[in-house]
Amino acid sequence: MAKVFLKSKKGLRAEMGHPWIFSGEIDKIEGDFENGDIVEVYNFKGKFIGKGYINTKSQITVRILTRNKDEEINEDFFRRRILEAWNYRKKVIETTCCRVVFGEADFLPALIVDKYSDYLVVQTLALGIDKYKDIIVKVLKEIFNPKGIYERNDVPVRELEGLNQQKGFLTEPFDTTIITEENGVKFYVDIENGQKTGYFLDQKENRAAIKDIVKDADVLDCFCHTGSFSLHAARYGAKSVLGIDISEHAVEFARKNAELNGFQDICKFEAHNAFDVLHPWSKEGRKFDVVILDPPAFTKSKDTVESAMRGYKEINLRAMKLLKPGGFLVTASCSHHLTPELFYQVIMDAAIDAKKTIRQVEYRTQSKDHPILWNSGETLYLKFLILQII
Protein backbone atom coordinates (compact mmCIF):
# COMPACT_ATOMS: atom_id res chain seq x y z
CA MET A 1 0.00 0.00 0.00
CA ALA A 2 1.39 3.40 -1.01
CA LYS A 3 2.21 5.91 1.71
CA VAL A 4 1.47 9.63 1.53
CA PHE A 5 3.67 11.94 3.62
CA LEU A 6 2.57 15.47 4.42
CA LYS A 7 4.73 18.58 4.47
CA SER A 8 5.99 20.10 7.68
CA LYS A 9 3.31 22.26 9.33
CA LYS A 10 0.75 20.93 6.86
CA GLY A 11 -2.06 18.49 7.49
CA LEU A 12 -2.87 19.78 10.95
CA ARG A 13 -6.58 19.81 10.06
CA ALA A 14 -6.34 16.18 9.00
CA GLU A 15 -4.65 15.25 12.28
CA MET A 16 -7.50 16.95 14.14
CA GLY A 17 -10.13 14.93 12.30
CA HIS A 18 -10.76 16.61 8.95
CA PRO A 19 -11.14 13.91 6.26
CA TRP A 20 -9.49 15.78 3.35
CA ILE A 21 -5.85 15.96 2.27
CA PHE A 22 -5.24 18.66 -0.35
CA SER A 23 -2.59 18.36 -3.04
CA GLY A 24 -0.62 21.30 -1.63
CA GLU A 25 -0.25 19.54 1.73
CA ILE A 26 1.58 16.52 0.29
CA ASP A 27 5.39 16.29 0.43
CA LYS A 28 5.91 12.90 -1.20
CA ILE A 29 4.24 9.59 -2.05
CA GLU A 30 6.12 6.34 -1.59
CA GLY A 31 5.05 3.17 -3.40
CA ASP A 32 3.00 2.36 -6.46
CA PHE A 33 -0.71 3.15 -6.73
CA GLU A 34 -3.49 3.84 -9.17
CA ASN A 35 -5.97 6.64 -8.67
CA GLY A 36 -8.83 5.33 -6.55
CA ASP A 37 -6.59 3.03 -4.52
CA ILE A 38 -6.44 3.03 -0.72
CA VAL A 39 -3.29 4.69 0.67
CA GLU A 40 -1.89 5.36 4.13
CA VAL A 41 -1.35 8.96 5.24
CA TYR A 42 1.46 10.10 7.58
CA ASN A 43 2.52 13.47 8.90
CA PHE A 44 6.01 14.83 8.25
CA LYS A 45 7.33 13.04 11.35
CA GLY A 46 6.06 9.69 10.10
CA LYS A 47 3.07 9.52 12.48
CA PHE A 48 0.11 7.60 11.02
CA ILE A 49 -2.97 9.79 10.39
CA GLY A 50 -5.36 7.56 8.49
CA LYS A 51 -6.20 5.52 5.40
CA GLY A 52 -8.26 6.69 2.48
CA TYR A 53 -8.59 6.72 -1.26
CA ILE A 54 -6.32 8.77 -3.48
CA ASN A 55 -6.89 10.68 -6.73
CA THR A 56 -4.08 12.91 -8.00
CA LYS A 57 -6.46 14.43 -10.56
CA SER A 58 -8.42 16.05 -7.74
CA GLN A 59 -7.38 19.02 -5.61
CA ILE A 60 -8.68 16.92 -2.69
CA THR A 61 -6.06 14.26 -3.28
CA VAL A 62 -6.88 11.90 -0.39
CA ARG A 63 -10.19 11.42 1.45
CA ILE A 64 -9.74 9.57 4.71
CA LEU A 65 -12.01 6.59 5.44
CA THR A 66 -10.56 5.31 8.70
CA ARG A 67 -8.12 6.31 11.45
CA ASN A 68 -7.49 2.66 12.29
CA LYS A 69 -4.38 1.37 10.53
CA ASP A 70 -5.55 -2.25 10.82
CA GLU A 71 -9.09 -1.68 9.48
CA GLU A 72 -9.56 -3.20 6.03
CA ILE A 73 -11.56 -1.26 3.43
CA ASN A 74 -13.81 -4.04 2.16
CA GLU A 75 -17.45 -5.12 2.05
CA ASP A 76 -17.61 -5.57 5.82
CA PHE A 77 -16.26 -2.04 6.29
CA PHE A 78 -19.05 -0.53 4.18
CA ARG A 79 -21.65 -2.70 5.88
CA ARG A 80 -20.53 -1.43 9.31
CA ARG A 81 -20.41 2.20 8.24
CA ILE A 82 -23.82 2.19 6.52
CA LEU A 83 -25.44 0.34 9.43
CA GLU A 84 -23.98 2.88 11.86
CA ALA A 85 -25.38 5.72 9.75
CA TRP A 86 -28.80 4.07 9.55
CA ASN A 87 -28.95 3.31 13.28
CA TYR A 88 -28.13 6.96 13.98
CA ARG A 89 -31.04 8.10 11.77
CA LYS A 90 -33.46 5.70 13.41
CA LYS A 91 -32.55 7.18 16.78
CA VAL A 92 -32.73 10.90 15.93
CA ILE A 93 -35.27 11.38 13.12
CA GLU A 94 -38.40 9.95 11.53
CA THR A 95 -37.12 7.86 8.63
CA THR A 96 -39.89 7.57 6.03
CA CYS A 97 -37.83 9.95 3.94
CA CYS A 98 -34.36 10.99 5.06
CA ARG A 99 -30.70 11.14 4.12
CA VAL A 100 -29.22 7.79 5.11
CA VAL A 101 -25.58 8.63 4.36
CA PHE A 102 -24.20 12.18 4.37
CA GLY A 103 -20.69 11.72 3.02
CA GLU A 104 -17.91 12.95 5.27
CA ALA A 105 -20.25 13.43 8.25
CA ASP A 106 -20.90 9.67 8.19
CA PHE A 107 -17.22 8.85 7.57
CA LEU A 108 -17.94 7.75 3.99
CA PRO A 109 -16.53 10.67 1.98
CA ALA A 110 -18.35 11.60 -1.25
CA LEU A 111 -21.14 9.05 -0.74
CA ILE A 112 -24.76 10.24 -0.57
CA VAL A 113 -27.71 7.91 0.01
CA ASP A 114 -31.24 9.33 0.22
CA LYS A 115 -34.32 7.32 1.17
CA TYR A 116 -37.80 8.09 -0.16
CA SER A 117 -40.19 5.56 1.38
CA ASP A 118 -39.09 2.21 -0.11
CA TYR A 119 -36.69 3.65 -2.70
CA LEU A 120 -33.07 4.76 -2.45
CA VAL A 121 -31.08 7.27 -4.49
CA VAL A 122 -27.28 7.01 -4.54
CA GLN A 123 -24.52 9.46 -5.47
CA THR A 124 -20.85 8.45 -5.63
CA LEU A 125 -19.12 11.77 -6.16
CA ALA A 126 -15.44 10.81 -6.14
CA LEU A 127 -13.39 8.17 -7.94
CA GLY A 128 -12.37 6.34 -4.77
CA ILE A 129 -15.94 5.79 -3.57
CA ASP A 130 -17.23 5.11 -7.10
CA LYS A 131 -14.93 2.07 -7.28
CA TYR A 132 -16.95 0.53 -4.45
CA LYS A 133 -20.36 1.32 -5.93
CA ASP A 134 -21.29 -2.31 -6.61
CA ILE A 135 -20.39 -3.30 -3.04
CA ILE A 136 -22.34 -0.34 -1.65
CA VAL A 137 -25.43 -1.28 -3.69
CA LYS A 138 -25.15 -4.88 -2.49
CA VAL A 139 -25.00 -3.72 1.14
CA LEU A 140 -27.92 -1.32 0.68
CA LYS A 141 -30.04 -4.14 -0.72
CA GLU A 142 -29.22 -6.29 2.31
CA ILE A 143 -29.97 -3.61 4.90
CA PHE A 144 -33.03 -1.94 3.35
CA ASN A 145 -34.49 -4.46 0.91
CA PRO A 146 -35.66 -1.49 -1.17
CA LYS A 147 -38.13 -1.65 -4.03
CA GLY A 148 -35.54 0.09 -6.15
CA ILE A 149 -32.23 1.99 -6.19
CA TYR A 150 -31.47 4.82 -8.61
CA GLU A 151 -28.14 6.49 -9.39
CA ARG A 152 -28.02 10.32 -9.64
CA ASN A 153 -24.44 10.87 -10.66
CA ASP A 154 -25.37 13.54 -13.21
CA VAL A 155 -23.39 16.19 -11.31
CA PRO A 156 -20.45 18.27 -12.61
CA VAL A 157 -18.29 17.66 -9.52
CA ARG A 158 -17.63 14.11 -10.78
CA GLU A 159 -15.77 15.53 -13.77
CA LEU A 160 -13.19 17.05 -11.39
CA GLU A 161 -12.49 13.43 -10.39
CA GLY A 162 -12.12 12.23 -13.98
CA LEU A 163 -15.54 10.57 -13.86
CA ASN A 164 -18.43 10.79 -16.33
CA GLN A 165 -21.80 12.21 -15.39
CA GLN A 166 -24.45 9.49 -15.49
CA LYS A 167 -27.76 8.41 -14.03
CA GLY A 168 -29.85 5.28 -14.18
CA PHE A 169 -31.18 2.21 -12.39
CA LEU A 170 -28.97 0.21 -10.03
CA THR A 171 -31.75 -2.39 -9.66
CA GLU A 172 -34.53 -3.52 -11.94
CA PRO A 173 -36.31 -0.48 -13.49
CA PHE A 174 -39.25 1.12 -11.66
CA ASP A 175 -41.48 4.19 -11.92
CA THR A 176 -39.15 7.04 -10.92
CA THR A 177 -41.98 9.33 -9.82
CA ILE A 178 -42.77 8.07 -6.36
CA ILE A 179 -44.95 9.17 -3.46
CA THR A 180 -43.48 9.64 0.00
CA GLU A 181 -44.37 11.54 3.17
CA GLU A 182 -42.78 14.13 5.45
CA ASN A 183 -44.30 15.54 8.65
CA GLY A 184 -47.67 14.17 7.59
CA VAL A 185 -47.50 15.84 4.16
CA LYS A 186 -47.51 13.64 1.07
CA PHE A 187 -45.55 14.59 -2.02
CA TYR A 188 -44.33 13.27 -5.34
CA VAL A 189 -40.59 12.94 -5.86
CA ASP A 190 -39.12 12.82 -9.35
CA ILE A 191 -35.90 11.00 -8.55
CA GLU A 192 -34.87 10.81 -12.21
CA ASN A 193 -35.17 14.47 -13.22
CA GLY A 194 -35.78 16.44 -10.01
CA GLN A 195 -33.09 18.66 -8.51
CA LYS A 196 -30.35 16.93 -6.48
CA THR A 197 -31.83 13.49 -5.72
CA GLY A 198 -35.39 14.71 -6.33
CA TYR A 199 -36.13 16.65 -3.15
CA PHE A 200 -34.45 18.79 -0.48
CA LEU A 201 -34.46 16.63 2.64
CA ASP A 202 -32.27 18.98 4.67
CA GLN A 203 -35.18 21.33 5.47
CA LYS A 204 -37.43 18.57 6.86
CA GLU A 205 -37.40 19.76 10.48
CA ASN A 206 -37.35 23.43 9.48
CA ARG A 207 -40.56 22.98 7.51
CA ALA A 208 -42.19 21.67 10.69
CA ALA A 209 -40.85 24.72 12.58
CA ILE A 210 -43.21 27.12 10.75
CA LYS A 211 -46.28 25.48 12.32
CA ASP A 212 -47.21 28.21 14.80
CA ILE A 213 -46.57 31.28 12.64
CA VAL A 214 -48.62 30.26 9.58
CA LYS A 215 -51.97 29.54 11.22
CA ASP A 216 -54.69 31.75 9.62
CA ALA A 217 -51.96 33.54 7.63
CA ASP A 218 -51.59 34.70 4.04
CA VAL A 219 -48.27 33.16 3.01
CA LEU A 220 -45.87 33.89 0.15
CA ASP A 221 -43.40 31.06 -0.54
CA CYS A 222 -40.56 32.15 -2.83
CA PHE A 223 -38.27 29.66 -4.58
CA CYS A 224 -40.94 27.12 -3.67
CA HIS A 225 -39.51 24.27 -5.79
CA THR A 226 -42.13 21.48 -5.60
CA GLY A 227 -44.09 23.21 -2.85
CA SER A 228 -42.68 21.68 0.33
CA PHE A 229 -42.94 24.78 2.55
CA SER A 230 -46.23 25.76 0.90
CA LEU A 231 -47.80 22.39 1.65
CA HIS A 232 -46.62 22.51 5.24
CA ALA A 233 -48.12 25.99 5.62
CA ALA A 234 -51.46 24.68 4.36
CA ARG A 235 -51.27 21.66 6.66
CA TYR A 236 -50.61 23.95 9.62
CA GLY A 237 -53.65 26.14 8.96
CA ALA A 238 -52.64 28.90 6.55
CA LYS A 239 -55.53 30.84 5.05
CA SER A 240 -53.86 31.18 1.64
CA VAL A 241 -50.50 30.26 0.15
CA LEU A 242 -48.90 31.58 -3.04
CA GLY A 243 -45.80 29.66 -4.13
CA ILE A 244 -43.52 30.98 -6.86
CA ASP A 245 -40.58 29.35 -8.62
CA ILE A 246 -38.71 30.09 -11.83
CA SER A 247 -39.06 26.45 -12.97
CA GLU A 248 -42.26 25.46 -14.75
CA HIS A 249 -41.39 21.82 -14.03
CA ALA A 250 -41.21 22.54 -10.29
CA VAL A 251 -44.46 24.53 -10.33
CA GLU A 252 -46.24 21.70 -12.13
CA PHE A 253 -45.09 19.25 -9.45
CA ALA A 254 -46.11 21.69 -6.69
CA ARG A 255 -49.65 21.78 -8.08
CA LYS A 256 -49.76 17.97 -8.19
CA ASN A 257 -48.51 17.86 -4.61
CA ALA A 258 -51.22 20.29 -3.51
CA GLU A 259 -53.88 18.10 -5.13
CA LEU A 260 -52.36 14.99 -3.56
CA ASN A 261 -52.97 16.53 -0.12
CA GLY A 262 -56.30 18.20 -0.92
CA PHE A 263 -54.74 21.67 -0.57
CA GLN A 264 -55.45 22.91 -4.09
CA ASP A 265 -57.93 25.55 -2.83
CA ILE A 266 -55.40 26.95 -0.35
CA CYS A 267 -52.14 26.64 -2.33
CA LYS A 268 -51.69 28.39 -5.67
CA PHE A 269 -48.47 28.23 -7.66
CA GLU A 270 -47.08 30.53 -10.35
CA ALA A 271 -43.87 30.47 -12.38
CA HIS A 272 -41.93 33.67 -11.65
CA ASN A 273 -38.38 34.78 -11.05
CA ALA A 274 -38.53 36.12 -7.49
CA PHE A 275 -36.01 38.83 -8.34
CA ASP A 276 -38.37 40.13 -11.04
CA VAL A 277 -41.63 40.23 -9.07
CA LEU A 278 -40.93 41.03 -5.41
CA HIS A 279 -40.11 44.70 -6.06
CA PRO A 280 -43.15 45.51 -8.23
CA TRP A 281 -45.44 43.58 -5.88
CA SER A 282 -44.16 45.69 -3.02
CA LYS A 283 -44.84 48.89 -5.00
CA GLU A 284 -48.35 47.63 -5.73
CA GLY A 285 -48.95 47.37 -1.98
CA ARG A 286 -49.35 43.60 -1.80
CA LYS A 287 -48.97 42.32 1.77
CA PHE A 288 -48.51 38.95 3.43
CA ASP A 289 -48.43 37.68 7.00
CA VAL A 290 -45.54 35.34 6.29
CA VAL A 291 -42.90 35.38 3.54
CA ILE A 292 -40.67 32.32 3.04
CA LEU A 293 -37.33 32.55 1.22
CA ASP A 294 -35.60 29.23 0.49
CA PRO A 295 -33.39 30.04 -2.51
CA PRO A 296 -30.79 27.82 -4.16
CA ALA A 297 -27.15 28.47 -3.30
CA PHE A 298 -26.11 31.86 -4.68
CA THR A 299 -22.41 31.01 -4.35
CA LYS A 300 -20.39 27.82 -4.56
CA SER A 301 -16.95 29.43 -4.12
CA LYS A 302 -15.25 32.06 -1.98
CA ASP A 303 -14.73 34.22 -5.08
CA THR A 304 -18.45 34.94 -5.54
CA VAL A 305 -19.48 35.52 -1.90
CA GLU A 306 -19.72 39.28 -2.36
CA SER A 307 -22.14 39.09 -5.28
CA ALA A 308 -24.11 36.39 -3.45
CA MET A 309 -24.48 38.70 -0.46
CA ARG A 310 -26.00 41.33 -2.74
CA GLY A 311 -28.51 38.77 -4.00
CA TYR A 312 -29.47 37.63 -0.50
CA LYS A 313 -29.79 41.22 0.68
CA GLU A 314 -32.04 42.10 -2.27
CA ILE A 315 -34.55 39.30 -1.75
CA ASN A 316 -34.67 39.75 2.03
CA LEU A 317 -35.15 43.50 1.68
CA ARG A 318 -38.04 42.99 -0.76
CA ALA A 319 -39.56 40.30 1.43
CA MET A 320 -39.52 42.59 4.46
CA LYS A 321 -41.36 45.27 2.49
CA LEU A 322 -44.05 42.74 1.53
CA LEU A 323 -44.79 41.85 5.13
CA LYS A 324 -47.58 43.28 7.21
CA PRO A 325 -46.35 45.02 10.41
CA GLY A 326 -45.37 42.27 12.84
CA GLY A 327 -45.31 39.67 10.08
CA PHE A 328 -42.83 36.83 9.92
CA LEU A 329 -39.89 36.30 7.58
CA VAL A 330 -38.67 32.73 7.13
CA THR A 331 -35.30 32.94 5.39
CA ALA A 332 -32.57 30.45 4.57
CA SER A 333 -29.23 30.09 2.83
CA CYS A 334 -27.66 26.80 1.75
CA SER A 335 -24.42 28.43 0.57
CA HIS A 336 -21.57 26.95 2.64
CA HIS A 337 -19.29 29.89 1.85
CA LEU A 338 -21.83 32.34 3.26
CA THR A 339 -21.05 31.81 6.94
CA PRO A 340 -23.69 32.24 9.65
CA GLU A 341 -22.02 35.55 10.58
CA LEU A 342 -22.22 36.84 7.00
CA PHE A 343 -25.83 35.67 6.71
CA TYR A 344 -26.78 37.58 9.85
CA GLN A 345 -24.97 40.63 8.43
CA VAL A 346 -26.92 40.43 5.17
CA ILE A 347 -30.27 40.22 6.97
CA MET A 348 -29.36 43.13 9.24
CA ASP A 349 -28.28 45.28 6.27
CA ALA A 350 -31.58 44.49 4.53
CA ALA A 351 -33.53 45.47 7.65
CA ILE A 352 -31.67 48.77 7.96
CA ASP A 353 -32.41 49.66 4.33
CA ALA A 354 -36.05 48.60 4.75
CA LYS A 355 -36.25 50.63 7.99
CA LYS A 356 -37.41 47.57 9.89
CA THR A 357 -36.71 46.13 13.32
CA ILE A 358 -35.92 42.42 13.60
CA ARG A 359 -36.97 40.16 16.42
CA GLN A 360 -35.52 36.66 16.19
CA VAL A 361 -37.91 33.79 16.82
CA GLU A 362 -35.63 30.89 15.97
CA TYR A 363 -32.29 30.00 14.38
CA ARG A 364 -31.78 26.52 12.97
CA THR A 365 -29.44 24.57 10.68
CA GLN A 366 -29.98 21.46 8.57
CA SER A 367 -32.03 18.47 9.74
CA LYS A 368 -30.40 15.87 11.96
CA ASP A 369 -30.05 13.39 9.11
CA HIS A 370 -27.49 15.87 7.67
CA PRO A 371 -25.23 15.84 10.75
CA ILE A 372 -22.60 18.52 11.26
CA LEU A 373 -19.12 17.16 11.82
CA TRP A 374 -17.30 19.75 13.93
CA ASN A 375 -13.96 18.53 12.57
CA SER A 376 -15.17 19.35 9.04
CA GLY A 377 -16.64 22.83 8.65
CA GLU A 378 -17.95 22.04 5.17
CA THR A 379 -20.67 19.87 6.69
CA LEU A 380 -22.33 22.99 8.15
CA TYR A 381 -23.93 24.76 5.22
CA LEU A 382 -27.62 25.49 5.91
CA LYS A 383 -28.71 28.58 7.86
CA PHE A 384 -32.40 29.00 8.68
CA LEU A 385 -34.04 31.91 10.49
CA ILE A 386 -37.59 32.70 11.60
CA LEU A 387 -37.80 36.43 12.26
CA GLN A 388 -40.56 38.84 13.22
CA ILE A 389 -40.31 42.02 11.19
CA ILE A 390 -41.59 45.14 12.95
Side-chain angles (χ1 to χ4, degrees):
M1 185 179 295
K3 297 181 178 180
V4 175
F5 292 89
L6 305 185
K7 295 176 181 176
S8 175
K9 298 181 181 178
K10 296 288 186 180
L12 293 177
R13 291 193 318 154
E15 290 192 66
M16 292 187 290
H18 198 288
W20 293 351
I21 306 293
F22 289 92
S23 58
E25 297 174 325
I26 296 173
D27 179 36
K28 61 182 179 179
I29 303 175
E30 294 182 353
D32 297 329
F33 67 92
E34 293 182 3
N35 282 331
D37 285 353
I38 302 299
V39 297
E40 295 179 347
V41 179
Y42 296 83
N43 72 5
F44 72 101
K45 291 182 179 180
K47 177 187 173 185
F48 176 79
I49 293 175
K51 291 197 298 191
Y53 55 78
I54 189 169
N55 187 358
T56 55
K57 291 182 179 179
S58 173
Q59 186 182 357
I60 305 171
T61 305
V62 180
R63 301 177 196 246
I64 292 174
L65 286 164
T66 179
R67 305 281 171 169
N68 181 351
K69 192 173 183 178
D70 297 323
E71 188 170 28
E72 293 291 327
I73 309 302
N74 53 24
E75 184 175 314
D76 286 340
F77 169 85
F78 285 100
R79 186 175 290 106
R80 284 194 305 274
R81 281 283 201 271
I82 293 171
L83 270 172
E84 286 167 1
W86 179 230
N87 288 334
Y88 163 80
R89 268 73 183 178
K90 288 190 290 185
K91 188 174 287 288
V92 302
I93 199 167
E94 195 282 321
T95 59
T96 300
C97 62
C98 68
R99 176 151 292 181
V100 174
V101 177
F102 184 41
E104 282 74 358
D106 286 302
F107 314 106
L108 288 168
L111 175 64
I112 301 295
V113 181
D114 285 344
K115 176 180 181 289
Y116 300 108
S117 294
D118 297 318
Y119 298 88
L120 300 176
V121 183
V122 173
Q123 292 180 312
T124 48
L125 303 176
L127 173 62
I129 204 73
D130 194 69
K131 286 184 67 174
Y132 293 96
K133 185 168 64 178
D134 290 345
I135 287 175
I136 290 166
V137 169
K138 179 185 176 185
V139 169
L140 290 173
K141 287 178 180 177
E142 287 177 13
I143 295 172
F144 295 94
N145 190 26
K147 291 181 178 177
I149 304 177
Y150 197 82
E151 172 182 14
R152 280 300 300 269
N153 277 326
D154 52 333
V155 285
V157 70
R158 277 174 56 94
E159 295 180 1
L160 301 176
E161 293 277 325
L163 295 167
N164 295 326
Q165 292 192 48
Q166 60 193 53
K167 62 180 180 178
F169 297 100
L170 297 176
T171 57
E172 289 299 311
F174 55 90
D175 184 350
T176 54
T177 300
I178 61 177
I179 297 176
T180 189
E181 187 173 312
E182 171 189 89
N183 303 321
V185 177
K186 295 178 182 178
F187 53 91
Y188 292 102
V189 178
D190 180 359
I191 63 175
E192 180 179 7
N193 297 310
Q195 292 186 43
K196 303 292 185 180
T197 64
Y199 189 72
F200 296 99
L201 292 164
D202 52 6
Q203 293 274 31
K204 178 175 181 175
E205 293 169 292
N206 297 338
R207 286 186 272 263
I210 69 172
K211 180 178 180 178
D212 295 328
I213 63 167
V214 297
K215 186 171 174 55
D216 298 321
D218 293 312
V219 178
L220 174 63
D221 180 13
C222 305
F223 310 96
C224 70
H225 192 228
T226 55
S228 53
F229 273 103
S230 298
L231 298 172
H232 279 75
R235 172 170 167 74
Y236 297 141
K239 185 165 53 179
S240 72
V241 183
L242 174 59
I244 63 171
D245 196 278
I246 196 169
S247 165
E248 290 277 5
H249 179 266
V251 166
E252 179 186 337
F253 258 75
R255 291 180 181 136
K256 290 179 181 177
N257 285 334
E259 291 175 8
L260 182 63
N261 290 275
F263 296 151
Q264 61 270 26
D265 293 334
I266 300 170
C267 296
K268 303 299 179 186
F269 297 96
E270 299 174 3
H272 297 295
N273 184 336
F275 284 96
D276 293 339
V277 298
L278 295 188
H279 189 202
W281 286 359
S282 175
K283 282 193 166 185
E284 291 167 15
R286 296 182 70 167
K287 293 292 180 184
F288 299 88
D289 298 294
V290 178
V291 176
I292 300 169
L293 300 174
D294 183 23
F298 288 169
T299 176
K300 295 187 178 179
S301 74
K302 291 180 180 178
D303 298 336
T304 55
V305 166
E306 205 168 301
S307 62
M309 289 178 69
R310 289 194 293 270
Y312 284 115
K313 179 183 175 182
E314 171 70 14
I315 58 170
N316 281 280
L317 169 64
R318 298 305 166 197
M320 290 179 191
K321 290 191 171 184
L322 283 165
L323 281 167
K324 299 173 186 176
F328 292 92
L329 174 63
V330 178
T331 184
S333 165
C334 60
S335 301
H336 159 68
H337 293 287
L338 189 76
T339 64
E341 293 76 18
L342 288 176
F343 188 50
Y344 269 89
Q345 180 71 51
V346 164
I347 306 301
M348 191 68 234
D349 289 348
I352 290 169
D353 283 5
K355 298 180 173 57
K356 302 290 185 181
T357 297
I358 293 175
R359 182 155 63 180
Q360 181 173 316
V361 179
E362 193 169 3
Y363 172 75
R364 305 175 63 90
T365 58
Q366 61 249 33
S367 295
K368 291 189 283 287
D369 55 346
H370 294 64
I372 297 164
L373 191 66
W374 281 28
N375 309 68
S376 176
E378 292 80 5
T379 57
L380 169 57
Y381 65 96
L382 184 62
K383 287 77 59 181
F384 179 88
L385 282 163
I386 299 178
L387 307 168
Q388 188 177 35
I389 307 300
I390 302 162

